[in-house]
Amino acid sequence: MSLPDLKSFEVWFVTGSQHLYGPETLEKVAEHAQKIAAAFNSSKTIPVRIIYTPVVKTPEEIFNLFQRANIAENCIGLICWMHTFSPAKMWINGLKIIQKPLLHLHTQFNRDIPWNSIDMDFMNLNQSAHGDREFGFIMTRMRKERKVVTGHWQDKAIHEQINSWCRAAAGWHDLQQAKFVRFGDNMRQVAVTEGDKVEAQLVFGYSVNTHGVGDLVATIKKVKEKSVEELCEIYDKEYKLSGSLKKNGKQHASLREAAKIELGIRQFLESGNFKGYTDTFEDLHGLVQLPGIATQRLMADGFGFGAEGDWKTAALLRAMKVMAAGLPGGNSFMEDYTYHFEPGKNMVLGSHMLEICPSIAHTKPSCEIHPLGIGGKEDPVRLVFNVDGGAALNATMVDMGNRFRLIVNEVEAVKPKNALPKLPVARVLWKPLPNMNTGCTAWILAGGAHHTVYSQNLGIEVLQDFASIAGIELMHIGKHTTIPEFRSQLKWNESAYK
């Protein structure tokens, strides 16, 4: 399940006006709208195709356009702009049926007021300042979720905000009718990885269903030896392969078994059109070893993953990988594993038993085999690497019983200074913002899970836009967070979501 090319997605540029102004003015409106749409479409910042649509001037035109947008397979959202005054009652029926994300662009074609030549003809044509207010009122009156972007359409900051929203809309679009498979159930007695799968399908559009591990084992058993040999050769070329795993090494059979597991899982996912999966070491009967390198490589190819049956994280990871398509850096399943409480140098060591995506690796990973000490299986093959420093974030999705909550903590990754020779797993060090005490305390207060998606290339705005599109709660922990204010926000939200 490779990641989609974001240029295959369309965002329709919709311009509002009315017949009051006559054909000459409407021709100018259309000309200006085409130029703005073309500028957005050619922008290096905006990752999707921006499609100009004819200026809408009547309730019928608006309704028909929104109806077409709903069924257009590649349309992931609409940018709406009122060039002139466009009476908002015309938009009601269209806004009632629209099912695609909306961005309200509050701009105007001209940047500056032409002080010496401005006249009533100019004023009649360039009315966005109050036309957009009329449009804004009706969406607020109808409680329509949307992103509002204000500024001149040529400003780089405007392109950046549209970029964030387009990426969020792409992630949302990818989840619609997506399928995720659980191999086995959740890890027994664990609370945070549970959740309401029916409600998730109602809210996010994706489905989660369980297949017995025996179904997967049956697929693995059908993998051809030639395919296993070819994949082992790829391992040898792409990673620093431990001597014992090489072709004549004493543990080469374990590498072949890992390759066989990867090929089997890949075949199962692709044949079932699944965009991600979960497993748990408590329920892998029939597998010789836990899927280590298999899961790491499948994540790198765009599949979502959650350990211990954590389907919410698997879906979030897939969505975030789509949102980040084409950007440098990566996104990975992650877990806060242990702390470093040295005064003035507080840090979190993030890792997992096996499953960290190599898209976030700083250098070429090494392919190694080591005992796991958990799960009761043979020693698993895994990729081992460090992660570079820099700005990043951790995001998690939790089920609060009456709503889903997306929690995001901005962090500062730290390049490891120690070799960690006896820790044979992929790992990353980070400092939570605004500091260890506040960041971790806020996370705990919000009910944040121990499983997250670690992102090197998505900023908070993209996830805020995603939460807005999904209509879910977002709790942001960043450099300005204080515990008193954070506690207050949690209490306000409890009232808002009753």
Side-chain angles (χ1 to χ4, degrees), residues 77-106:
L78 297 90
I79 297 175
C80 297
W81 169 54
M82 306 301 110
H83 191 307
T84 64
F85 196 80
S86 182
K89 288 173 68 175
M90 296 196 310
W91 291 83
I92 290 175
N93 286 337
L95 289 171
K96 282 169 65 177
I97 66 163
I98 191 62
Q99 297 171 338
K100 300 293 175 77
L102 294 171
L103 183 149
H104 182 189
L105 178 63
H106 185 37

PDB file of all heavy atoms in Angstrom, residues 77-106:
ATOM      1  N   GLY A  77     -11.312  18.510  -1.211  1.00  0.00           N
ATOM      2  CA  GLY A  77     -11.765  19.681  -0.479  1.00  0.00           C
ATOM      3  C   GLY A  77     -12.017  20.852  -1.402  1.00  0.00           C
ATOM      4  O   GLY A  77     -11.751  20.789  -2.614  1.00  0.00           O
ATOM      5  N   LEU A  78     -12.562  21.933  -0.834  1.00  0.00           N
ATOM      6  CA  LEU A  78     -12.883  23.128  -1.610  1.00  0.00           C
ATOM      7  C   LEU A  78     -12.342  24.366  -0.910  1.00  0.00           C
ATOM      8  O   LEU A  78     -12.452  24.494   0.316  1.00  0.00           O
ATOM      9  CB  LEU A  78     -14.399  23.279  -1.786  1.00  0.00           C
ATOM     10  CG  LEU A  78     -15.135  22.189  -2.553  1.00  0.00           C
ATOM     11  CD1 LEU A  78     -15.600  21.101  -1.601  1.00  0.00           C
ATOM     12  CD2 LEU A  78     -16.330  22.748  -3.295  1.00  0.00           C
ATOM     13  N   ILE A  79     -11.761  25.267  -1.706  1.00  0.00           N
ATOM     14  CA  ILE A  79     -11.378  26.597  -1.240  1.00  0.00           C
ATOM     15  C   ILE A  79     -12.440  27.563  -1.748  1.00  0.00           C
ATOM     16  O   ILE A  79     -12.684  27.641  -2.949  1.00  0.00           O
ATOM     17  CB  ILE A  79      -9.991  27.007  -1.768  1.00  0.00           C
ATOM     18  CG1 ILE A  79      -8.914  26.077  -1.227  1.00  0.00           C
ATOM     19  CG2 ILE A  79      -9.687  28.455  -1.391  1.00  0.00           C
ATOM     20  CD1 ILE A  79      -7.524  26.343  -1.804  1.00  0.00           C
ATOM     21  N   CYS A  80     -13.090  28.281  -0.840  1.00  0.00           N
ATOM     22  CA  CYS A  80     -14.158  29.205  -1.215  1.00  0.00           C
ATOM     23  C   CYS A  80     -13.730  30.649  -0.954  1.00  0.00           C
ATOM     24  O   CYS A  80     -13.146  30.950   0.093  1.00  0.00           O
ATOM     25  CB  CYS A  80     -15.428  28.885  -0.437  1.00  0.00           C
ATOM     26  SG  CYS A  80     -16.117  27.243  -0.770  1.00  0.00           S
ATOM     27  N   TRP A  81     -14.040  31.504  -1.910  1.00  0.00           N
ATOM     28  CA  TRP A  81     -13.668  32.923  -1.811  1.00  0.00           C
ATOM     29  C   TRP A  81     -14.771  33.767  -2.418  1.00  0.00           C
ATOM     30  O   TRP A  81     -15.266  33.450  -3.508  1.00  0.00           O
ATOM     31  CB  TRP A  81     -12.338  33.159  -2.535  1.00  0.00           C
ATOM     32  CG  TRP A  81     -11.981  34.607  -2.740  1.00  0.00           C
ATOM     33  CD1 TRP A  81     -11.916  35.574  -1.788  1.00  0.00           C
ATOM     34  CD2 TRP A  81     -11.639  35.241  -3.980  1.00  0.00           C
ATOM     35  NE1 TRP A  81     -11.541  36.783  -2.357  1.00  0.00           N
ATOM     36  CE2 TRP A  81     -11.361  36.596  -3.700  1.00  0.00           C
ATOM     37  CE3 TRP A  81     -11.528  34.807  -5.296  1.00  0.00           C
ATOM     38  CZ2 TRP A  81     -11.005  37.512  -4.680  1.00  0.00           C
ATOM     39  CZ3 TRP A  81     -11.156  35.717  -6.286  1.00  0.00           C
ATOM     40  CH2 TRP A  81     -10.894  37.051  -5.975  1.00  0.00           C
ATOM     41  N   MET A  82     -15.154  34.819  -1.737  1.00  0.00           N
ATOM     42  CA  MET A  82     -16.166  35.735  -2.259  1.00  0.00           C
ATOM     43  C   MET A  82     -15.475  36.965  -2.833  1.00  0.00           C
ATOM     44  O   MET A  82     -14.992  37.819  -2.082  1.00  0.00           O
ATOM     45  CB  MET A  82     -17.145  36.157  -1.150  1.00  0.00           C
ATOM     46  CG  MET A  82     -17.803  34.997  -0.413  1.00  0.00           C
ATOM     47  SD  MET A  82     -18.745  33.893  -1.458  1.00  0.00           S
ATOM     48  CE  MET A  82     -17.708  32.416  -1.403  1.00  0.00           C
ATOM     49  N   HIS A  83     -15.411  37.047  -4.166  1.00  0.00           N
ATOM     50  CA  HIS A  83     -14.759  38.196  -4.813  1.00  0.00           C
ATOM     51  C   HIS A  83     -15.601  39.445  -4.613  1.00  0.00           C
ATOM     52  O   HIS A  83     -15.100  40.530  -4.276  1.00  0.00           O
ATOM     53  CB  HIS A  83     -14.568  37.912  -6.298  1.00  0.00           C
ATOM     54  CG  HIS A  83     -13.692  38.895  -7.010  1.00  0.00           C
ATOM     55  ND1 HIS A  83     -13.888  40.256  -6.967  1.00  0.00           N
ATOM     56  CD2 HIS A  83     -12.611  38.707  -7.805  1.00  0.00           C
ATOM     57  CE1 HIS A  83     -12.967  40.863  -7.703  1.00  0.00           C
ATOM     58  NE2 HIS A  83     -12.172  39.934  -8.225  1.00  0.00           N
ATOM     59  N   THR A  84     -16.908  39.294  -4.825  1.00  0.00           N
ATOM     60  CA  THR A  84     -17.848  40.390  -4.586  1.00  0.00           C
ATOM     61  C   THR A  84     -18.752  39.970  -3.432  1.00  0.00           C
ATOM     62  O   THR A  84     -18.515  38.961  -2.784  1.00  0.00           O
ATOM     63  CB  THR A  84     -18.701  40.650  -5.833  1.00  0.00           C
ATOM     64  OG1 THR A  84     -19.496  39.490  -6.092  1.00  0.00           O
ATOM     65  CG2 THR A  84     -17.842  40.957  -7.046  1.00  0.00           C
ATOM     66  N   PHE A  85     -19.792  40.719  -3.202  1.00  0.00           N
ATOM     67  CA  PHE A  85     -20.801  40.301  -2.235  1.00  0.00           C
ATOM     68  C   PHE A  85     -21.619  39.184  -2.867  1.00  0.00           C
ATOM     69  O   PHE A  85     -22.088  39.297  -4.003  1.00  0.00           O
ATOM     70  CB  PHE A  85     -21.711  41.479  -1.875  1.00  0.00           C
ATOM     71  CG  PHE A  85     -22.510  41.256  -0.633  1.00  0.00           C
ATOM     72  CD1 PHE A  85     -21.941  41.435   0.618  1.00  0.00           C
ATOM     73  CD2 PHE A  85     -23.835  40.869  -0.715  1.00  0.00           C
ATOM     74  CE1 PHE A  85     -22.678  41.233   1.772  1.00  0.00           C
ATOM     75  CE2 PHE A  85     -24.578  40.662   0.427  1.00  0.00           C
ATOM     76  CZ  PHE A  85     -24.005  40.843   1.678  1.00  0.00           C
ATOM     77  N   SER A  86     -21.766  38.085  -2.133  1.00  0.00           N
ATOM     78  CA  SER A  86     -22.532  36.928  -2.605  1.00  0.00           C
ATOM     79  C   SER A  86     -23.514  36.576  -1.496  1.00  0.00           C
ATOM     80  O   SER A  86     -23.127  35.964  -0.511  1.00  0.00           O
ATOM     81  CB  SER A  86     -21.604  35.755  -2.899  1.00  0.00           C
ATOM     82  OG  SER A  86     -22.320  34.648  -3.401  1.00  0.00           O
ATOM     83  N   PRO A  87     -24.767  36.975  -1.629  1.00  0.00           N
ATOM     84  CA  PRO A  87     -25.736  36.792  -0.535  1.00  0.00           C
ATOM     85  C   PRO A  87     -25.722  35.377   0.016  1.00  0.00           C
ATOM     86  O   PRO A  87     -25.852  34.396  -0.720  1.00  0.00           O
ATOM     87  CB  PRO A  87     -27.082  37.131  -1.198  1.00  0.00           C
ATOM     88  CG  PRO A  87     -26.723  38.080  -2.303  1.00  0.00           C
ATOM     89  CD  PRO A  87     -25.400  37.590  -2.815  1.00  0.00           C
ATOM     90  N   ALA A  88     -25.555  35.255   1.326  1.00  0.00           N
ATOM     91  CA  ALA A  88     -25.246  33.953   1.908  1.00  0.00           C
ATOM     92  C   ALA A  88     -26.419  32.986   1.903  1.00  0.00           C
ATOM     93  O   ALA A  88     -26.218  31.772   1.994  1.00  0.00           O
ATOM     94  CB  ALA A  88     -24.729  34.132   3.334  1.00  0.00           C
ATOM     95  N   LYS A  89     -27.656  33.487   1.796  1.00  0.00           N
ATOM     96  CA  LYS A  89     -28.779  32.553   1.727  1.00  0.00           C
ATOM     97  C   LYS A  89     -28.689  31.684   0.473  1.00  0.00           C
ATOM     98  O   LYS A  89     -29.242  30.585   0.437  1.00  0.00           O
ATOM     99  CB  LYS A  89     -30.098  33.316   1.775  1.00  0.00           C
ATOM    100  CG  LYS A  89     -30.402  33.896   3.164  1.00  0.00           C
ATOM    101  CD  LYS A  89     -31.621  34.788   3.158  1.00  0.00           C
ATOM    102  CE  LYS A  89     -32.901  33.993   2.899  1.00  0.00           C
ATOM    103  NZ  LYS A  89     -34.108  34.865   3.004  1.00  0.00           N
ATOM    104  N   MET A  90     -27.968  32.183  -0.541  1.00  0.00           N
ATOM    105  CA  MET A  90     -27.763  31.369  -1.745  1.00  0.00           C
ATOM    106  C   MET A  90     -26.941  30.118  -1.449  1.00  0.00           C
ATOM    107  O   MET A  90     -27.010  29.132  -2.172  1.00  0.00           O
ATOM    108  CB  MET A  90     -27.036  32.173  -2.840  1.00  0.00           C
ATOM    109  CG  MET A  90     -27.787  33.371  -3.378  1.00  0.00           C
ATOM    110  SD  MET A  90     -27.091  33.965  -4.945  1.00  0.00           S
ATOM    111  CE  MET A  90     -25.355  34.091  -4.587  1.00  0.00           C
ATOM    112  N   TRP A  91     -26.131  30.164  -0.387  1.00  0.00           N
ATOM    113  CA  TRP A  91     -25.180  29.090  -0.112  1.00  0.00           C
ATOM    114  C   TRP A  91     -25.741  28.013   0.822  1.00  0.00           C
ATOM    115  O   TRP A  91     -25.125  26.965   1.008  1.00  0.00           O
ATOM    116  CB  TRP A  91     -23.911  29.679   0.513  1.00  0.00           C
ATOM    117  CG  TRP A  91     -23.120  30.509  -0.457  1.00  0.00           C
ATOM    118  CD1 TRP A  91     -23.345  31.815  -0.784  1.00  0.00           C
ATOM    119  CD2 TRP A  91     -22.006  30.081  -1.235  1.00  0.00           C
ATOM    120  NE1 TRP A  91     -22.427  32.238  -1.721  1.00  0.00           N
ATOM    121  CE2 TRP A  91     -21.585  31.179  -2.014  1.00  0.00           C
ATOM    122  CE3 TRP A  91     -21.308  28.879  -1.339  1.00  0.00           C
ATOM    123  CZ2 TRP A  91     -20.511  31.112  -2.888  1.00  0.00           C
ATOM    124  CZ3 TRP A  91     -20.232  28.811  -2.209  1.00  0.00           C
ATOM    125  CH2 TRP A  91     -19.846  29.912  -2.969  1.00  0.00           C
ATOM    126  N   ILE A  92     -26.913  28.278   1.423  1.00  0.00           N
ATOM    127  CA  ILE A  92     -27.387  27.392   2.488  1.00  0.00           C
ATOM    128  C   ILE A  92     -27.554  25.951   2.018  1.00  0.00           C
ATOM    129  O   ILE A  92     -27.039  25.015   2.644  1.00  0.00           O
ATOM    130  CB  ILE A  92     -28.707  27.924   3.084  1.00  0.00           C
ATOM    131  CG1 ILE A  92     -28.432  29.210   3.880  1.00  0.00           C
ATOM    132  CG2 ILE A  92     -29.351  26.874   3.983  1.00  0.00           C
ATOM    133  CD1 ILE A  92     -29.686  29.890   4.409  1.00  0.00           C
ATOM    134  N   ASN A  93     -28.269  25.731   0.939  1.00  0.00           N
ATOM    135  CA  ASN A  93     -28.537  24.354   0.510  1.00  0.00           C
ATOM    136  C   ASN A  93     -27.255  23.637   0.078  1.00  0.00           C
ATOM    137  O   ASN A  93     -27.105  22.434   0.297  1.00  0.00           O
ATOM    138  CB  ASN A  93     -29.571  24.337  -0.611  1.00  0.00           C
ATOM    139  CG  ASN A  93     -30.973  24.617  -0.102  1.00  0.00           C
ATOM    140  OD1 ASN A  93     -31.256  24.405   1.075  1.00  0.00           O
ATOM    141  ND2 ASN A  93     -31.842  25.107  -0.966  1.00  0.00           N
ATOM    142  N   GLY A  94     -26.341  24.371  -0.533  1.00  0.00           N
ATOM    143  CA  GLY A  94     -25.070  23.759  -0.906  1.00  0.00           C
ATOM    144  C   GLY A  94     -24.261  23.370   0.319  1.00  0.00           C
ATOM    145  O   GLY A  94     -23.710  22.266   0.399  1.00  0.00           O
ATOM    146  N   LEU A  95     -24.217  24.267   1.309  1.00  0.00           N
ATOM    147  CA  LEU A  95     -23.466  23.978   2.527  1.00  0.00           C
ATOM    148  C   LEU A  95     -24.123  22.864   3.341  1.00  0.00           C
ATOM    149  O   LEU A  95     -23.445  22.158   4.093  1.00  0.00           O
ATOM    150  CB  LEU A  95     -23.346  25.246   3.374  1.00  0.00           C
ATOM    151  CG  LEU A  95     -22.407  26.328   2.815  1.00  0.00           C
ATOM    152  CD1 LEU A  95     -22.538  27.618   3.609  1.00  0.00           C
ATOM    153  CD2 LEU A  95     -20.968  25.845   2.799  1.00  0.00           C
ATOM    154  N   LYS A  96     -25.427  22.689   3.197  1.00  0.00           N
ATOM    155  CA  LYS A  96     -26.109  21.604   3.911  1.00  0.00           C
ATOM    156  C   LYS A  96     -25.673  20.229   3.414  1.00  0.00           C
ATOM    157  O   LYS A  96     -25.658  19.263   4.176  1.00  0.00           O
ATOM    158  CB  LYS A  96     -27.626  21.752   3.765  1.00  0.00           C
ATOM    159  CG  LYS A  96     -28.225  22.809   4.671  1.00  0.00           C
ATOM    160  CD  LYS A  96     -29.672  23.104   4.312  1.00  0.00           C
ATOM    161  CE  LYS A  96     -30.578  21.904   4.531  1.00  0.00           C
ATOM    162  NZ  LYS A  96     -32.007  22.242   4.244  1.00  0.00           N
ATOM    163  N   ILE A  97     -25.309  20.138   2.136  1.00  0.00           N
ATOM    164  CA  ILE A  97     -25.002  18.812   1.587  1.00  0.00           C
ATOM    165  C   ILE A  97     -23.514  18.545   1.434  1.00  0.00           C
ATOM    166  O   ILE A  97     -23.110  17.396   1.257  1.00  0.00           O
ATOM    167  CB  ILE A  97     -25.674  18.604   0.212  1.00  0.00           C
ATOM    168  CG1 ILE A  97     -25.065  19.560  -0.839  1.00  0.00           C
ATOM    169  CG2 ILE A  97     -27.182  18.755   0.295  1.00  0.00           C
ATOM    170  CD1 ILE A  97     -25.345  19.167  -2.274  1.00  0.00           C
ATOM    171  N   ILE A  98     -22.679  19.573   1.520  1.00  0.00           N
ATOM    172  CA  ILE A  98     -21.260  19.360   1.225  1.00  0.00           C
ATOM    173  C   ILE A  98     -20.631  18.420   2.251  1.00  0.00           C
ATOM    174  O   ILE A  98     -20.836  18.574   3.464  1.00  0.00           O
ATOM    175  CB  ILE A  98     -20.477  20.696   1.162  1.00  0.00           C
ATOM    176  CG1 ILE A  98     -19.073  20.483   0.592  1.00  0.00           C
ATOM    177  CG2 ILE A  98     -20.445  21.388   2.500  1.00  0.00           C
ATOM    178  CD1 ILE A  98     -19.043  19.975  -0.819  1.00  0.00           C
ATOM    179  N   GLN A  99     -19.893  17.456   1.772  1.00  0.00           N
ATOM    180  CA  GLN A  99     -19.255  16.461   2.625  1.00  0.00           C
ATOM    181  C   GLN A  99     -17.734  16.530   2.563  1.00  0.00           C
ATOM    182  O   GLN A  99     -17.059  15.740   3.211  1.00  0.00           O
ATOM    183  CB  GLN A  99     -19.721  15.059   2.210  1.00  0.00           C
ATOM    184  CG  GLN A  99     -21.210  14.848   2.402  1.00  0.00           C
ATOM    185  CD  GLN A  99     -21.698  13.550   1.801  1.00  0.00           C
ATOM    186  OE1 GLN A  99     -21.061  12.986   0.917  1.00  0.00           O
ATOM    187  NE2 GLN A  99     -22.822  13.059   2.272  1.00  0.00           N
ATOM    188  N   LYS A 100     -17.197  17.436   1.784  1.00  0.00           N
ATOM    189  CA  LYS A 100     -15.754  17.588   1.661  1.00  0.00           C
ATOM    190  C   LYS A 100     -15.269  18.731   2.553  1.00  0.00           C
ATOM    191  O   LYS A 100     -16.020  19.671   2.830  1.00  0.00           O
ATOM    192  CB  LYS A 100     -15.368  17.860   0.195  1.00  0.00           C
ATOM    193  CG  LYS A 100     -15.761  16.753  -0.788  1.00  0.00           C
ATOM    194  CD  LYS A 100     -14.989  15.482  -0.557  1.00  0.00           C
ATOM    195  CE  LYS A 100     -15.447  14.332  -1.436  1.00  0.00           C
ATOM    196  NZ  LYS A 100     -14.987  14.404  -2.819  1.00  0.00           N
ATOM    197  N   PRO A 101     -14.023  18.679   3.010  1.00  0.00           N
ATOM    198  CA  PRO A 101     -13.482  19.756   3.843  1.00  0.00           C
ATOM    199  C   PRO A 101     -13.518  21.106   3.131  1.00  0.00           C
ATOM    200  O   PRO A 101     -13.383  21.185   1.895  1.00  0.00           O
ATOM    201  CB  PRO A 101     -12.035  19.309   4.094  1.00  0.00           C
ATOM    202  CG  PRO A 101     -12.070  17.821   3.951  1.00  0.00           C
ATOM    203  CD  PRO A 101     -13.075  17.551   2.865  1.00  0.00           C
ATOM    204  N   LEU A 102     -13.695  22.157   3.918  1.00  0.00           N
ATOM    205  CA  LEU A 102     -13.797  23.510   3.374  1.00  0.00           C
ATOM    206  C   LEU A 102     -12.691  24.399   3.939  1.00  0.00           C
ATOM    207  O   LEU A 102     -12.376  24.339   5.125  1.00  0.00           O
ATOM    208  CB  LEU A 102     -15.146  24.128   3.736  1.00  0.00           C
ATOM    209  CG  LEU A 102     -16.402  23.502   3.128  1.00  0.00           C
ATOM    210  CD1 LEU A 102     -17.647  24.103   3.785  1.00  0.00           C
ATOM    211  CD2 LEU A 102     -16.443  23.711   1.617  1.00  0.00           C
ATOM    212  N   LEU A 103     -12.145  25.229   3.071  1.00  0.00           N
ATOM    213  CA  LEU A 103     -11.229  26.298   3.472  1.00  0.00           C
ATOM    214  C   LEU A 103     -11.821  27.602   2.971  1.00  0.00           C
ATOM    215  O   LEU A 103     -12.117  27.722   1.777  1.00  0.00           O
ATOM    216  CB  LEU A 103      -9.825  26.086   2.915  1.00  0.00           C
ATOM    217  CG  LEU A 103      -8.759  27.112   3.329  1.00  0.00           C
ATOM    218  CD1 LEU A 103      -7.374  26.451   3.402  1.00  0.00           C
ATOM    219  CD2 LEU A 103      -8.686  28.310   2.392  1.00  0.00           C
ATOM    220  N   HIS A 104     -12.022  28.549   3.853  1.00  0.00           N
ATOM    221  CA  HIS A 104     -12.522  29.868   3.472  1.00  0.00           C
ATOM    222  C   HIS A 104     -11.322  30.799   3.323  1.00  0.00           C
ATOM    223  O   HIS A 104     -10.652  31.123   4.309  1.00  0.00           O
ATOM    224  CB  HIS A 104     -13.489  30.399   4.523  1.00  0.00           C
ATOM    225  CG  HIS A 104     -14.083  31.726   4.173  1.00  0.00           C
ATOM    226  ND1 HIS A 104     -14.841  32.449   5.063  1.00  0.00           N
ATOM    227  CD2 HIS A 104     -14.028  32.474   3.041  1.00  0.00           C
ATOM    228  CE1 HIS A 104     -15.224  33.578   4.507  1.00  0.00           C
ATOM    229  NE2 HIS A 104     -14.727  33.623   3.277  1.00  0.00           N
ATOM    230  N   LEU A 105     -11.042  31.195   2.094  1.00  0.00           N
ATOM    231  CA  LEU A 105      -9.929  32.105   1.807  1.00  0.00           C
ATOM    232  C   LEU A 105     -10.440  33.541   1.844  1.00  0.00           C
ATOM    233  O   LEU A 105     -11.249  33.953   1.006  1.00  0.00           O
ATOM    234  CB  LEU A 105      -9.333  31.786   0.436  1.00  0.00           C
ATOM    235  CG  LEU A 105      -8.177  32.691  -0.008  1.00  0.00           C
ATOM    236  CD1 LEU A 105      -6.981  32.548   0.921  1.00  0.00           C
ATOM    237  CD2 LEU A 105      -7.777  32.389  -1.450  1.00  0.00           C
ATOM    238  N   HIS A 106      -9.979  34.294   2.814  1.00  0.00           N
ATOM    239  CA  HIS A 106     -10.382  35.689   2.956  1.00  0.00           C
ATOM    240  C   HIS A 106      -9.266  36.553   2.384  1.00  0.00           C
ATOM    241  O   HIS A 106      -8.298  36.886   3.072  1.00  0.00           O
ATOM    242  CB  HIS A 106     -10.632  36.011   4.434  1.00  0.00           C
ATOM    243  CG  HIS A 106     -11.157  37.400   4.675  1.00  0.00           C
ATOM    244  ND1 HIS A 106     -12.045  38.028   3.829  1.00  0.00           N
ATOM    245  CD2 HIS A 106     -10.903  38.283   5.688  1.00  0.00           C
ATOM    246  CE1 HIS A 106     -12.324  39.227   4.298  1.00  0.00           C
ATOM    247  NE2 HIS A 106     -11.626  39.411   5.421  1.00  0.00           N
TER     248      HIS A 106
END
